[in-house]
Amino acid sequence: MSIVRRTLIAAAAAAAFAAPFAALAQDIKPRLIRFGYGLNEQSNQGRAVKVFAEQVQKASAGKMRVRAIGAAALGPDVQMQQALIGGAQEMMVGSTATLVGITKEMALWDTPFLFDDAAEADAILDGPIGQKVMDKLQDKGLVGLVYWENGFRNLTNSKRPIAKAEDMDGVKLRVMQNDVYLDSFKLLGANAIPLPFSELFSALETKTVDGQENPFNTILSSKFYEVQKYLSITNHVYSPWIVLVSKKWWDQLSKAEQKVLLDAARASRDFERKDTREEAGRALADLKTKGMQVNEVPPAEVARMRQKLERINANVAAHVGGDLWQETQTALAASRAKK
Ligand code: TK8
């Protein structure tokens, strides 16, 4: 056999071998999903990301793999959102409140005292209104999958118990990077300072700020009890988290792959809400054991706060659009009438 002929045969064989192998290689090379979040691994957020990761891995038979990266190691919410939009990161979970700069309709969820209880929040967030707000993200390069529960927020600080709005006078209070929060707490008399969550612990520790507000779960999992003395129960707003996907990346997935993610996101949501609610019940007692001084703001004083904050509603309505605002108020009134 001539050298030329041998080379030709070898090349043909290599090509015949390489073609299906390339297809196969593409098939078995797992899709890597970098999933960022802000709290630590031992938080309700961390536990639910793990549930999501396990289901994705299982349902895709290992072809999709989630690398969960917590404690804001990929940056605070706002930075991760930009990474998703640019396609440098695949997924994240974070507060809807920090998304308002991208999708103004998200401000709906920042309305003080919007929901009376978790059942109302679930019904609106998982219903057509929640979906409509989520769908607005698509034009901006993000795909929202589900809402998780961050929870009803309460105040902590190192100065004094807050028993009425006036007690917030001069308290340097960290708020999320969101104008509704900023305006609300200014209106209540606090010296509101927007900061990313990832900077909060050290800001409290160094007394750059005196206080902050978050659900019991986060106050516990982020160890704020180490640097905060007073916990005042207000339940002033229900705050959701949202699971986001980079639209650039999502559009490259097959329908089957998208379904794996959506199904796992829904399962993680159900797990997360149950887990969060169970933990919240225990967390308050834990925080007392850790030495926090807890006071419940009397209902009459909560009502006064609520009344002061009513001015904010008009701002939110203008921001999110009167139709969306009205639709939400109508849905809430209808569900309350049934109670
Ligand atoms: C975690 C934040 C946090 C939020 C905040 O990344 O910033 O206070 O409540 O849960 O999203």
Side-chain angles (χ1 to χ4, degrees):
M1 216 188 276
S2 77
I3 277 209
V4 173
R5 192 167 153 70
R6 242 183 307 182
T7 314
L8 278 176
I9 290 170
F17 180 73
F21 184 76
L24 193 68
Q26 207 177 30
D27 265 1
I28 58 171
K29 188 172 160 245
R31 281 202 190 268
L32 180 66
I33 303 165
R34 284 160 294 186
F35 191 125
Y37 61 99
L39 300 189
N40 60 51
E41 235 181 288
Q42 283 77 38
S43 65
N44 53 342
Q45 204 175 48
R47 290 190 292 273
V49 173
K50 199 157 169 252
V51 165
F52 174 80
E54 283 165 2
Q55 171 150 344
V56 168
Q57 175 107 2
K58 211 167 142 210
S60 69
K63 286 182 188 154
M64 301 172 88
R65 196 163 296 164
V66 178
R67 185 187 292 160
I69 306 159
L74 293 178
D77 286 5
V78 175
Q79 192 179 320
M80 289 197 284
Q81 291 155 13
Q82 292 307 325
L84 261 61
I85 291 169
Q89 182 183 327
E90 290 74 28
M91 291 188 70
M92 66 172 284
V93 63
S95 282
T96 54
T98 51
L99 266 177
V100 167
I102 294 171
T103 296
K104 61 183 181 5
E105 288 82 0
M106 286 287 162
L108 183 59
W109 316 128
D110 305 323
T111 311
F113 300 102
L114 181 66
F115 300 129
D116 285 347
D117 53 41
E120 278 189 8
D122 292 356
I124 299 284
L125 290 164
D126 299 346
I129 297 174
Q131 190 61 48
K132 190 187 285 186
V133 172
M134 197 135 82
D135 288 346
K136 300 276 180 201
L137 292 165
Q138 298 238 3
D139 295 342
K140 307 294 166 90
L142 295 169
V143 178
L145 297 186
V146 287
Y147 296 101
W148 285 359
E149 172 158 298
N150 187 349
F152 282 99
R153 302 176 79 93
N154 293 295
L155 295 166
T156 70
N157 82 98
S158 54
K159 287 208 136 167
R160 60 183 94 100
I162 307 295
K164 54 183 185 309
E166 289 71 15
D167 296 332
M168 272 186 252
D169 270 355
V171 171
K172 283 183 282 175
L173 189 84
R174 175 272 178 176
V175 293
M176 289 190 277
Q177 294 149 296
N178 170 292
D179 283 347
V180 179
Y181 276 83
L182 193 62
D183 294 345
S184 297
F185 282 100
K186 279 187 181 160
L187 199 60
L188 292 178
N191 180 1
I193 301 162
L195 270 185
F197 185 84
S198 50
E199 289 170 29
L200 182 50
F201 186 91
S202 80
L204 292 168
E205 192 174 34
T206 58
K207 299 259 159 63
T208 306
V209 294
D210 305 311
Q212 63 88 41
E213 41 85 55
N214 253 301
F216 299 143
N217 309 61
T218 300
I219 298 169
L220 185 65
S221 65
S222 291
K223 297 190 161 53
F224 291 159
Y225 55 82
E226 289 180 355
V227 285
Q228 297 278 272
K229 176 93 185 120
Y230 305 103
L231 166 57
S232 306
I233 303 176
T234 50
N235 292 309
H236 52 269
V237 67
Y238 178 92
S239 125
W241 282 323
I242 187 168
V243 176
L244 299 170
V245 188
S246 158
K247 185 160 191 306
K248 239 186 189 169
W249 180 73
W250 176 261
D251 289 343
Q252 296 164 25
L253 301 179
S254 68
K255 285 275 171 286
E257 288 172 316
Q258 291 179 349
K259 187 171 180 317
V260 166
L261 294 184
L262 191 55
D263 288 348
R266 288 184 177 146
S268 73
R269 170 192 63 199
D270 297 344
F271 166 85
E272 194 272 347
R273 285 185 183 154
K274 193 163 171 284
D275 177 61
T276 297
R277 286 163 197 175
E278 278 169 14
E279 184 187 46
R282 276 178 277 121
L284 182 58
D286 271 16
L287 290 168
K288 285 182 188 163
T289 312
K290 307 260 186 219
M292 289 197 92
Q293 190 179 313
V294 179
N295 72 290
E296 209 160 317
V297 179
E301 289 303 329
V302 174
R304 271 183 68 233
M305 289 181 184
R306 192 172 181 154
Q307 208 175 359
K308 276 179 193 274
L309 289 170
E310 235 144 58
R311 278 169 52 192
I312 298 288
N313 291 358
N315 297 358
V316 176
H319 203 72
V320 305
D323 289 349
L324 180 60
W325 176 263
Q326 207 37 62
E327 192 184 346
T328 310
Q329 293 305 318
T330 306
L332 285 169
S335 89
R336 283 168 194 167
K338 275 193 237 145
K339 273 184 194 161

PDB file of all heavy atoms in Angstrom, residues 37-39 45 72 77 80 93-95 98 150 153 174 176 195-198 200 212-215 218 239 241, ligand 1:
ATOM      1  N   TYR A  37     -25.730  33.661  44.678  1.00  0.00           N
ATOM      2  CA  TYR A  37     -26.697  34.187  45.654  1.00  0.00           C
ATOM      3  C   TYR A  37     -25.968  34.912  46.771  1.00  0.00           C
ATOM      4  O   TYR A  37     -24.756  34.756  46.942  1.00  0.00           O
ATOM      5  CB  TYR A  37     -27.618  33.075  46.187  1.00  0.00           C
ATOM      6  CG  TYR A  37     -26.954  31.934  46.913  1.00  0.00           C
ATOM      7  CD1 TYR A  37     -26.928  31.908  48.304  1.00  0.00           C
ATOM      8  CD2 TYR A  37     -26.364  30.881  46.225  1.00  0.00           C
ATOM      9  CE1 TYR A  37     -26.332  30.854  48.988  1.00  0.00           C
ATOM     10  CE2 TYR A  37     -25.762  29.836  46.901  1.00  0.00           C
ATOM     11  CZ  TYR A  37     -25.746  29.818  48.281  1.00  0.00           C
ATOM     12  OH  TYR A  37     -25.147  28.792  48.950  1.00  0.00           O
ATOM     13  N   GLY A  38     -26.727  35.709  47.535  1.00  0.00           N
ATOM     14  CA  GLY A  38     -26.110  36.646  48.471  1.00  0.00           C
ATOM     15  C   GLY A  38     -25.895  36.162  49.880  1.00  0.00           C
ATOM     16  O   GLY A  38     -24.961  36.592  50.558  1.00  0.00           O
ATOM     17  N   LEU A  39     -26.756  35.269  50.350  1.00  0.00           N
ATOM     18  CA  LEU A  39     -26.636  34.815  51.739  1.00  0.00           C
ATOM     19  C   LEU A  39     -25.644  33.657  51.813  1.00  0.00           C
ATOM     20  O   LEU A  39     -25.111  33.220  50.792  1.00  0.00           O
ATOM     21  CB  LEU A  39     -28.005  34.396  52.283  1.00  0.00           C
ATOM     22  CG  LEU A  39     -29.105  35.469  52.300  1.00  0.00           C
ATOM     23  CD1 LEU A  39     -30.325  34.963  53.069  1.00  0.00           C
ATOM     24  CD2 LEU A  39     -28.623  36.773  52.908  1.00  0.00           C
ATOM     25  N   GLN A  45     -31.787  30.571  51.879  1.00  0.00           N
ATOM     26  CA  GLN A  45     -31.459  30.762  50.457  1.00  0.00           C
ATOM     27  C   GLN A  45     -30.491  29.661  49.996  1.00  0.00           C
ATOM     28  O   GLN A  45     -30.703  29.028  48.954  1.00  0.00           O
ATOM     29  CB  GLN A  45     -30.820  32.147  50.285  1.00  0.00           C
ATOM     30  CG  GLN A  45     -30.943  32.727  48.904  1.00  0.00           C
ATOM     31  CD  GLN A  45     -30.385  34.152  48.837  1.00  0.00           C
ATOM     32  OE1 GLN A  45     -29.291  34.417  49.319  1.00  0.00           O
ATOM     33  NE2 GLN A  45     -31.152  35.051  48.241  1.00  0.00           N
ATOM     34  N   ALA A  72     -22.427  36.139  48.187  1.00  0.00           N
ATOM     35  CA  ALA A  72     -22.107  37.236  47.255  1.00  0.00           C
ATOM     36  C   ALA A  72     -20.682  37.135  46.696  1.00  0.00           C
ATOM     37  O   ALA A  72     -20.080  38.146  46.346  1.00  0.00           O
ATOM     38  CB  ALA A  72     -22.339  38.603  47.901  1.00  0.00           C
ATOM     39  N   ASP A  77     -26.186  41.663  44.412  1.00  0.00           N
ATOM     40  CA  ASP A  77     -27.291  41.443  43.464  1.00  0.00           C
ATOM     41  C   ASP A  77     -27.128  42.229  42.164  1.00  0.00           C
ATOM     42  O   ASP A  77     -27.222  41.661  41.074  1.00  0.00           O
ATOM     43  CB  ASP A  77     -28.634  41.873  44.100  1.00  0.00           C
ATOM     44  CG  ASP A  77     -29.143  40.888  45.153  1.00  0.00           C
ATOM     45  OD1 ASP A  77     -28.414  39.912  45.455  1.00  0.00           O
ATOM     46  OD2 ASP A  77     -30.254  41.098  45.658  1.00  0.00           O
ATOM     47  N   MET A  80     -24.495  40.924  39.855  1.00  0.00           N
ATOM     48  CA  MET A  80     -24.864  39.632  39.250  1.00  0.00           C
ATOM     49  C   MET A  80     -25.912  39.819  38.152  1.00  0.00           C
ATOM     50  O   MET A  80     -25.840  39.166  37.114  1.00  0.00           O
ATOM     51  CB  MET A  80     -25.395  38.667  40.317  1.00  0.00           C
ATOM     52  CG  MET A  80     -24.326  38.159  41.270  1.00  0.00           C
ATOM     53  SD  MET A  80     -24.856  36.691  42.180  1.00  0.00           S
ATOM     54  CE  MET A  80     -25.972  37.369  43.403  1.00  0.00           C
ATOM     55  N   VAL A  93     -30.228  34.090  42.400  1.00  0.00           N
ATOM     56  CA  VAL A  93     -31.449  34.428  43.128  1.00  0.00           C
ATOM     57  C   VAL A  93     -31.127  35.659  43.960  1.00  0.00           C
ATOM     58  O   VAL A  93     -30.022  35.787  44.495  1.00  0.00           O
ATOM     59  CB  VAL A  93     -31.967  33.253  43.992  1.00  0.00           C
ATOM     60  CG1 VAL A  93     -30.988  32.845  45.079  1.00  0.00           C
ATOM     61  CG2 VAL A  93     -33.335  33.584  44.591  1.00  0.00           C
ATOM     62  N   GLY A  94     -32.067  36.586  44.011  1.00  0.00           N
ATOM     63  CA  GLY A  94     -31.846  37.802  44.784  1.00  0.00           C
ATOM     64  C   GLY A  94     -33.157  38.535  45.002  1.00  0.00           C
ATOM     65  O   GLY A  94     -34.222  38.072  44.581  1.00  0.00           O
ATOM     66  N   SER A  95     -33.052  39.662  45.664  1.00  0.00           N
ATOM     67  CA  SER A  95     -34.248  40.442  45.972  1.00  0.00           C
ATOM     68  C   SER A  95     -34.830  41.084  44.721  1.00  0.00           C
ATOM     69  O   SER A  95     -34.088  41.569  43.872  1.00  0.00           O
ATOM     70  CB  SER A  95     -33.902  41.539  46.974  1.00  0.00           C
ATOM     71  OG  SER A  95     -33.816  40.993  48.263  1.00  0.00           O
ATOM     72  N   THR A  98     -33.861  44.988  44.306  1.00  0.00           N
ATOM     73  CA  THR A  98     -32.664  45.512  43.637  1.00  0.00           C
ATOM     74  C   THR A  98     -32.796  45.461  42.118  1.00  0.00           C
ATOM     75  O   THR A  98     -31.913  45.916  41.398  1.00  0.00           O
ATOM     76  CB  THR A  98     -31.407  44.718  44.069  1.00  0.00           C
ATOM     77  OG1 THR A  98     -31.659  43.329  43.907  1.00  0.00           O
ATOM     78  CG2 THR A  98     -31.047  45.000  45.514  1.00  0.00           C
ATOM     79  N   ASN A 150     -38.462  35.762  50.706  1.00  0.00           N
ATOM     80  CA  ASN A 150     -37.478  36.341  51.617  1.00  0.00           C
ATOM     81  C   ASN A 150     -38.242  36.517  52.924  1.00  0.00           C
ATOM     82  O   ASN A 150     -37.883  35.916  53.925  1.00  0.00           O
ATOM     83  CB  ASN A 150     -36.952  37.644  51.030  1.00  0.00           C
ATOM     84  CG  ASN A 150     -35.801  38.258  51.814  1.00  0.00           C
ATOM     85  OD1 ASN A 150     -35.510  37.824  52.913  1.00  0.00           O
ATOM     86  ND2 ASN A 150     -35.174  39.273  51.267  1.00  0.00           N
ATOM     87  N   ARG A 153     -40.417  41.817  56.730  1.00  0.00           N
ATOM     88  CA  ARG A 153     -39.196  42.440  57.254  1.00  0.00           C
ATOM     89  C   ARG A 153     -39.436  43.125  58.595  1.00  0.00           C
ATOM     90  O   ARG A 153     -40.518  43.673  58.840  1.00  0.00           O
ATOM     91  CB  ARG A 153     -38.647  43.431  56.219  1.00  0.00           C
ATOM     92  CG  ARG A 153     -38.346  42.750  54.887  1.00  0.00           C
ATOM     93  CD  ARG A 153     -37.887  43.724  53.826  1.00  0.00           C
ATOM     94  NE  ARG A 153     -36.490  44.107  53.955  1.00  0.00           N
ATOM     95  CZ  ARG A 153     -35.479  43.507  53.332  1.00  0.00           C
ATOM     96  NH1 ARG A 153     -35.699  42.474  52.535  1.00  0.00           N
ATOM     97  NH2 ARG A 153     -34.238  43.937  53.491  1.00  0.00           N
ATOM     98  N   ARG A 174     -29.610  51.109  57.321  1.00  0.00           N
ATOM     99  CA  ARG A 174     -29.298  50.607  55.979  1.00  0.00           C
ATOM    100  C   ARG A 174     -30.581  50.120  55.307  1.00  0.00           C
ATOM    101  O   ARG A 174     -31.374  49.408  55.922  1.00  0.00           O
ATOM    102  CB  ARG A 174     -28.294  49.465  56.059  1.00  0.00           C
ATOM    103  CG  ARG A 174     -28.005  48.792  54.713  1.00  0.00           C
ATOM    104  CD  ARG A 174     -28.979  47.648  54.407  1.00  0.00           C
ATOM    105  NE  ARG A 174     -28.724  47.055  53.098  1.00  0.00           N
ATOM    106  CZ  ARG A 174     -29.373  46.002  52.626  1.00  0.00           C
ATOM    107  NH1 ARG A 174     -30.311  45.420  53.320  1.00  0.00           N
ATOM    108  NH2 ARG A 174     -29.089  45.531  51.427  1.00  0.00           N
ATOM    109  N   MET A 176     -32.124  48.587  51.275  1.00  0.00           N
ATOM    110  CA  MET A 176     -31.693  48.050  49.987  1.00  0.00           C
ATOM    111  C   MET A 176     -31.565  49.203  48.992  1.00  0.00           C
ATOM    112  O   MET A 176     -32.084  50.289  49.210  1.00  0.00           O
ATOM    113  CB  MET A 176     -32.704  47.010  49.497  1.00  0.00           C
ATOM    114  CG  MET A 176     -32.665  45.735  50.321  1.00  0.00           C
ATOM    115  SD  MET A 176     -33.639  44.386  49.591  1.00  0.00           S
ATOM    116  CE  MET A 176     -35.278  44.795  50.169  1.00  0.00           C
ATOM    117  N   LEU A 195     -27.280  50.463  50.820  1.00  0.00           N
ATOM    118  CA  LEU A 195     -26.014  49.702  50.784  1.00  0.00           C
ATOM    119  C   LEU A 195     -26.313  48.314  50.236  1.00  0.00           C
ATOM    120  O   LEU A 195     -27.361  47.751  50.542  1.00  0.00           O
ATOM    121  CB  LEU A 195     -25.491  49.490  52.209  1.00  0.00           C
ATOM    122  CG  LEU A 195     -24.553  50.458  52.896  1.00  0.00           C
ATOM    123  CD1 LEU A 195     -24.149  49.857  54.242  1.00  0.00           C
ATOM    124  CD2 LEU A 195     -23.312  50.706  52.049  1.00  0.00           C
ATOM    125  N   PRO A 196     -25.375  47.717  49.496  1.00  0.00           N
ATOM    126  CA  PRO A 196     -25.563  46.317  49.115  1.00  0.00           C
ATOM    127  C   PRO A 196     -25.508  45.419  50.348  1.00  0.00           C
ATOM    128  O   PRO A 196     -24.809  45.727  51.322  1.00  0.00           O
ATOM    129  CB  PRO A 196     -24.389  46.009  48.178  1.00  0.00           C
ATOM    130  CG  PRO A 196     -23.499  47.178  48.199  1.00  0.00           C
ATOM    131  CD  PRO A 196     -24.148  48.297  48.946  1.00  0.00           C
ATOM    132  N   PHE A 197     -26.235  44.317  50.283  1.00  0.00           N
ATOM    133  CA  PHE A 197     -26.291  43.402  51.420  1.00  0.00           C
ATOM    134  C   PHE A 197     -24.903  42.904  51.818  1.00  0.00           C
ATOM    135  O   PHE A 197     -24.608  42.739  53.002  1.00  0.00           O
ATOM    136  CB  PHE A 197     -27.208  42.210  51.101  1.00  0.00           C
ATOM    137  CG  PHE A 197     -27.410  41.305  52.271  1.00  0.00           C
ATOM    138  CD1 PHE A 197     -28.367  41.591  53.228  1.00  0.00           C
ATOM    139  CD2 PHE A 197     -26.623  40.176  52.445  1.00  0.00           C
ATOM    140  CE1 PHE A 197     -28.542  40.772  54.338  1.00  0.00           C
ATOM    141  CE2 PHE A 197     -26.789  39.350  53.551  1.00  0.00           C
ATOM    142  CZ  PHE A 197     -27.754  39.647  54.490  1.00  0.00           C
ATOM    143  N   SER A 198     -24.072  42.676  50.834  1.00  0.00           N
ATOM    144  CA  SER A 198     -22.742  42.110  51.103  1.00  0.00           C
ATOM    145  C   SER A 198     -21.865  43.025  51.973  1.00  0.00           C
ATOM    146  O   SER A 198     -20.887  42.581  52.550  1.00  0.00           O
ATOM    147  CB  SER A 198     -22.027  41.810  49.789  1.00  0.00           C
ATOM    148  OG  SER A 198     -22.083  42.936  48.943  1.00  0.00           O
ATOM    149  N   LEU A 200     -23.254  44.832  54.456  1.00  0.00           N
ATOM    150  CA  LEU A 200     -24.048  45.197  55.623  1.00  0.00           C
ATOM    151  C   LEU A 200     -23.434  44.779  56.955  1.00  0.00           C
ATOM    152  O   LEU A 200     -23.367  45.591  57.884  1.00  0.00           O
ATOM    153  CB  LEU A 200     -25.468  44.636  55.465  1.00  0.00           C
ATOM    154  CG  LEU A 200     -26.470  44.938  56.568  1.00  0.00           C
ATOM    155  CD1 LEU A 200     -26.507  46.417  56.923  1.00  0.00           C
ATOM    156  CD2 LEU A 200     -27.862  44.449  56.177  1.00  0.00           C
ATOM    157  N   GLN A 212     -30.751  48.008  60.445  1.00  0.00           N
ATOM    158  CA  GLN A 212     -31.129  47.472  59.141  1.00  0.00           C
ATOM    159  C   GLN A 212     -32.488  46.819  59.302  1.00  0.00           C
ATOM    160  O   GLN A 212     -33.005  46.722  60.418  1.00  0.00           O
ATOM    161  CB  GLN A 212     -30.072  46.476  58.659  1.00  0.00           C
ATOM    162  CG  GLN A 212     -29.902  45.242  59.531  1.00  0.00           C
ATOM    163  CD  GLN A 212     -30.832  44.096  59.169  1.00  0.00           C
ATOM    164  OE1 GLN A 212     -31.057  43.808  57.995  1.00  0.00           O
ATOM    165  NE2 GLN A 212     -31.412  43.440  60.175  1.00  0.00           N
ATOM    166  N   GLU A 213     -33.044  46.323  58.225  1.00  0.00           N
ATOM    167  CA  GLU A 213     -34.310  45.602  58.324  1.00  0.00           C
ATOM    168  C   GLU A 213     -34.278  44.396  57.391  1.00  0.00           C
ATOM    169  O   GLU A 213     -33.819  44.491  56.251  1.00  0.00           O
ATOM    170  CB  GLU A 213     -35.503  46.528  58.058  1.00  0.00           C
ATOM    171  CG  GLU A 213     -35.367  47.533  56.942  1.00  0.00           C
ATOM    172  CD  GLU A 213     -35.734  46.931  55.596  1.00  0.00           C
ATOM    173  OE1 GLU A 213     -36.855  46.395  55.481  1.00  0.00           O
ATOM    174  OE2 GLU A 213     -34.901  46.979  54.680  1.00  0.00           O
ATOM    175  N   ASN A 214     -34.712  43.254  57.931  1.00  0.00           N
ATOM    176  CA  ASN A 214     -34.727  41.991  57.199  1.00  0.00           C
ATOM    177  C   ASN A 214     -35.614  41.000  57.950  1.00  0.00           C
ATOM    178  O   ASN A 214     -35.939  41.219  59.112  1.00  0.00           O
ATOM    179  CB  ASN A 214     -33.297  41.428  57.088  1.00  0.00           C
ATOM    180  CG  ASN A 214     -32.724  41.571  55.679  1.00  0.00           C
ATOM    181  OD1 ASN A 214     -33.270  41.058  54.704  1.00  0.00           O
ATOM    182  ND2 ASN A 214     -31.626  42.293  55.566  1.00  0.00           N
ATOM    183  N   PRO A 215     -35.984  39.903  57.300  1.00  0.00           N
ATOM    184  CA  PRO A 215     -36.753  38.883  58.015  1.00  0.00           C
ATOM    185  C   PRO A 215     -35.914  38.194  59.102  1.00  0.00           C
ATOM    186  O   PRO A 215     -34.685  38.202  59.043  1.00  0.00           O
ATOM    187  CB  PRO A 215     -37.115  37.884  56.904  1.00  0.00           C
ATOM    188  CG  PRO A 215     -36.999  38.656  55.635  1.00  0.00           C
ATOM    189  CD  PRO A 215     -35.889  39.621  55.860  1.00  0.00           C
ATOM    190  N   THR A 218     -32.948  35.873  58.067  1.00  0.00           N
ATOM    191  CA  THR A 218     -31.695  36.476  57.629  1.00  0.00           C
ATOM    192  C   THR A 218     -30.943  37.100  58.792  1.00  0.00           C
ATOM    193  O   THR A 218     -29.710  37.059  58.837  1.00  0.00           O
ATOM    194  CB  THR A 218     -31.984  37.531  56.542  1.00  0.00           C
ATOM    195  OG1 THR A 218     -32.627  36.867  55.453  1.00  0.00           O
ATOM    196  CG2 THR A 218     -30.729  38.206  56.053  1.00  0.00           C
ATOM    197  N   SER A 239     -41.088  40.806  51.450  1.00  0.00           N
ATOM    198  CA  SER A 239     -40.123  40.931  50.356  1.00  0.00           C
ATOM    199  C   SER A 239     -39.858  39.589  49.683  1.00  0.00           C
ATOM    200  O   SER A 239     -39.570  38.589  50.334  1.00  0.00           O
ATOM    201  CB  SER A 239     -38.903  41.678  50.896  1.00  0.00           C
ATOM    202  OG  SER A 239     -37.692  41.076  50.753  1.00  0.00           O
ATOM    203  N   TRP A 241     -37.870  37.017  46.905  1.00  0.00           N
ATOM    204  CA  TRP A 241     -36.672  36.795  46.100  1.00  0.00           C
ATOM    205  C   TRP A 241     -37.149  36.300  44.742  1.00  0.00           C
ATOM    206  O   TRP A 241     -38.267  35.779  44.623  1.00  0.00           O
ATOM    207  CB  TRP A 241     -35.787  35.714  46.742  1.00  0.00           C
ATOM    208  CG  TRP A 241     -34.967  36.176  47.901  1.00  0.00           C
ATOM    209  CD1 TRP A 241     -34.355  37.377  48.049  1.00  0.00           C
ATOM    210  CD2 TRP A 241     -34.638  35.425  49.083  1.00  0.00           C
ATOM    211  NE1 TRP A 241     -33.668  37.419  49.239  1.00  0.00           N
ATOM    212  CE2 TRP A 241     -33.818  36.235  49.883  1.00  0.00           C
ATOM    213  CE3 TRP A 241     -34.941  34.131  49.523  1.00  0.00           C
ATOM    214  CZ2 TRP A 241     -33.313  35.811  51.116  1.00  0.00           C
ATOM    215  CZ3 TRP A 241     -34.436  33.708  50.742  1.00  0.00           C
ATOM    216  CH2 TRP A 241     -33.623  34.533  51.531  1.00  0.00           C
TER     217      TRP A 241
HETATM  218  C1  TK8 B   1     -29.420  38.874  49.846  1.00  0.00           C
HETATM  219  C2  TK8 B   1     -30.373  40.079  49.853  1.00  0.00           C
HETATM  220  C3  TK8 B   1     -31.176  40.125  51.132  1.00  0.00           C
HETATM  221  C4  TK8 B   1     -32.096  41.336  51.186  1.00  0.00           C
HETATM  222  C5  TK8 B   1     -31.330  42.584  51.580  1.00  0.00           C
HETATM  223  O1  TK8 B   1     -28.588  38.962  48.736  1.00  0.00           O
HETATM  224  O2  TK8 B   1     -30.523  43.050  50.787  1.00  0.00           O
HETATM  225  O3  TK8 B   1     -31.547  43.087  52.682  1.00  0.00           O
HETATM  226  O4  TK8 B   1     -33.134  41.121  52.090  1.00  0.00           O
HETATM  227  O5  TK8 B   1     -31.928  38.963  51.211  1.00  0.00           O
HETATM  228  O6  TK8 B   1     -31.221  39.977  48.735  1.00  0.00           O
END
